[in-house]
Amino acid sequence: MQDLNIAVLGAGVIGITTAVELQKQFRNAKINVIADKFGEDTTSAVAAGIFRPGTGFMGPSKDITQKWVNDSYYYWDDIRRSVEGPNAGVAEISGYLFSSEFKEIVKNHYLEKLLPIYRRTTEEELKLCKGDWKYGTFFTTVVTQNSYYLPWSTKKFLAAGGNILEKKVNYFSDVANDYNVVVNCTGLGAKALCSDNQLVPIRGQVIKVKAPWIKTFFYGNYDTYILPGLDSVTLGGTRQYESYDKSVNKYDGLSIKERCEEFVPSLRGAEVIAHKVGLRPHRTPVRVEKEVLNLNGNKVNIVHNYGHGGYGVTTAPGTSLYAVGLVKEMLMGNCKL
Ligand SMILES: Cc1cc2nc3c(=O)[nH]c(=O)nc-3n(C[C@H](O)[C@H](O)[C@H](O)COP(=O)(O)OP(=O)(O)OC[C@H]3O[C@@H](n4cnc5c(N)ncnc54)[C@H](O)[C@@H]3O)c2cc1C
């Protein structure tokens, strides 16, 4: 029987979560994570990390997508309940989603049956923040701060015998010969790697501030949000479709500050830690599927896991478990499992 070698391309929240799950299910495999950017340099590090899939988030079918969401929630919540929760950057959080115009915006079909606390706001709660709020939802969920989670899970991966290689992969043929299967978790990098025109960036700019008095999250109109993490609060934001601009825009920053301070005036005293920009890898449907590539007569097994848009932290565990299942299907009968 031959040894089993698996490559995971990408070291963001999707790649690292997938690599850790592969280790659990293929105990004798040699697993390499290959990426050109790590930690703070990834899109994952820009995210606030709240567990809240958008209503438009979609996998191959409604049932599979709901399973991804459910599996993800239980995965994060198990870490949150464990002694490792604070080290992993996973915590419980409650808050409000308000709208002054649209009833539909405050309803989330993925969350209403899943979260233990999910309800419409009362009339009194609609007056908690400045603004003419007509509709609202209150819910309790989890938040994962990637400045903790990525190092924590990377340490786990290395301790269990995993390897990390720093390298840009321009073509699958660069790595094809060395691995039984390649799991592609390259986020927006998959656009070039797979010539995937369905994958587009949605640019997001945020401000990370120190405001330990903010314990509740708030979403308001026009992408205005205030999301507390473990040791910082993320103020947002922007959603600019097909913008590839990774630089901080001064005017976006001013607009975010003004909108958030208007919404929650106590933020006026908050110390700014950093302005950050990330390009959300948006694709409908999110691509978690098998592909056998024929490269000059050599067959290469690929499992794709990319295109999570603004919900990659939310759904990393569920999509990773699904991707690991696909790896199993591809390898069945070929290698020592
Ligand atoms: C402002 C903002 C706020 C957000 N807030 C939230 C939130 O609250 N909740 C939520 O769930 N999501 C949120 N997101 C979305 C989330 O950040 C993304 O969905 C997630 O980070 C995608 O993870 P990823 O691992 O696919 O991509 P990335 O983090 O971009 O990682 C991709 C990895 O692939 C590697 N790579 C790419 N191409 C190559 C190549 N050719 N060769 C080698 N390596 C390669 C990169 O180096 C990197 O390691 C937010 C995003 C933004 C921008």
Side-chain angles (χ1 to χ4, degrees):
M1 268 191 282
Q2 61 182 119
D3 282 337
L4 179 57
N5 291 301
I6 304 176
V8 176
L9 307 186
V13 67
I14 305 299
I16 293 293
T17 307
T18 303
V20 169
E21 277 315 302
L22 283 165
Q23 274 181 329
K24 286 187 199 161
Q25 301 203 29
F26 300 96
R27 303 237 251 159
N28 297 317
K30 288 184 191 147
I31 302 177
N32 286 351
V33 167
I34 306 172
D36 62 348
K37 288 194 184 121
F38 297 87
E40 282 299 299
D41 295 329
T42 62
T43 307
S44 300
V46 179
I50 191 166
F51 181 90
R52 186 184 81 96
T55 51
F57 178 86
M58 203 57 205
S61 72
K62 272 188 190 166
D63 287 350
I64 289 174
T65 315
Q66 182 75 58
K67 183 165 166 47
W68 288 352
V69 171
N70 293 3
D71 287 351
S72 297
Y73 177 71
Y74 294 121
Y75 186 101
W76 289 129
D77 202 49
D78 279 351
I79 298 178
R80 196 268 303 168
R81 286 166 191 266
S82 78
V83 68
E84 283 297 308
N87 297 331
V90 187
E92 187 175 71
I93 188 164
S94 299
Y96 296 93
L97 180 64
F98 292 133
S99 172
S100 59
E101 281 181 85
F102 303 108
K103 209 175 181 173
E104 305 73 40
I105 292 183
V106 301
K107 187 175 154 60
N108 189 308
H109 63 288
Y110 290 123
L111 297 183
E112 60 191 353
K113 291 195 193 99
L114 175 64
L115 297 180
I117 300 173
Y118 184 94
R119 59 168 175 80
R120 283 182 63 178
T121 49
T122 61
E123 286 301 316
E124 288 71 30
E125 286 172 314
L126 291 175
K127 294 177 196 132
L128 279 174
C129 287
K130 274 186 83 177
D132 183 19
W133 306 113
K134 290 197 174 56
Y135 309 103
T137 308
F138 175 87
F139 56 96
T140 298
T141 183
V142 286
V143 62
T144 302
Q145 192 173 315
N146 274 328
S147 59
Y148 288 74
Y149 173 72
L150 291 179
W152 177 81
S153 47
T154 302
K155 203 169 145 194
K156 254 175 84 165
F157 172 70
L158 292 171
N163 291 307
I164 294 190
L165 307 174
E166 188 174 342
K167 175 178 164 168
K168 177 157 183 163
V169 177
N170 292 309
Y171 306 98
F172 285 112
S173 54
D174 294 352
V175 287
N177 289 337
D178 303 327
Y179 299 99
N180 302 84
V181 61
V182 177
V183 189
N184 173 24
C185 307
T186 51
L188 198 61
K191 190 166 181 69
L193 195 58
C194 306
S195 305
D196 186 343
N197 291 326
Q198 276 172 269
L199 183 65
V200 290
I202 298 183
R203 180 181 177 277
Q205 183 164 325
V206 292
I207 312 176
K208 304 271 178 186
V209 300
K210 268 209 166 76
W213 58 91
I214 303 282
K215 309 285 186 204
T216 307
F217 68 78
F218 297 101
Y219 284 91
N221 287 336
Y222 315 121
D223 296 315
T224 301
Y225 54 82
I226 294 155
L227 304 174
L230 267 77
D231 58 12
S232 64
V233 180
T234 303
L235 310 184
T238 65
R239 293 182 65 81
Q240 293 149 350
Y241 194 77
E242 283 210 68
S243 167
Y244 288 83
D245 183 1
K246 281 206 221 165
S247 63
V248 171
N249 181 294
K250 183 173 133 189
Y251 302 103
D252 284 342
L254 288 170
S255 155
I256 291 166
K257 187 168 152 38
E258 190 179 303
R259 282 182 281 136
C260 289
E261 290 180 355
E262 172 75 16
F263 196 20
V264 176
S266 75
L267 283 167
R268 288 202 176 103
E271 178 195 333
V272 173
I273 303 170
H275 291 262
K276 291 198 169 222
V277 173
L279 304 182
R280 302 171 178 95
H282 173 76
R283 190 184 193 274
T284 301
V286 180
R287 189 174 189 201
V288 192
E289 63 186 29
K290 297 179 280 189
E291 185 179 18
V292 179
L293 283 183
N294 194 329
L295 301 174
N296 302 324
N298 287 335
K299 283 192 173 166
V300 186
N301 293 326
I302 316 268
V303 171
H304 299 286
N305 187 8
Y306 67 83
H308 300 67
Y311 311 105
V313 185
T314 299
T315 56
T319 52
S320 298
L321 288 167
Y322 189 82
V324 172
L326 299 181
V327 171
K328 231 176 215 172
E329 282 176 22
M330 284 199 117
L331 293 173
M332 207 64 85
N334 293 335
C335 301
K336 180 169 72 177
L337 296 186

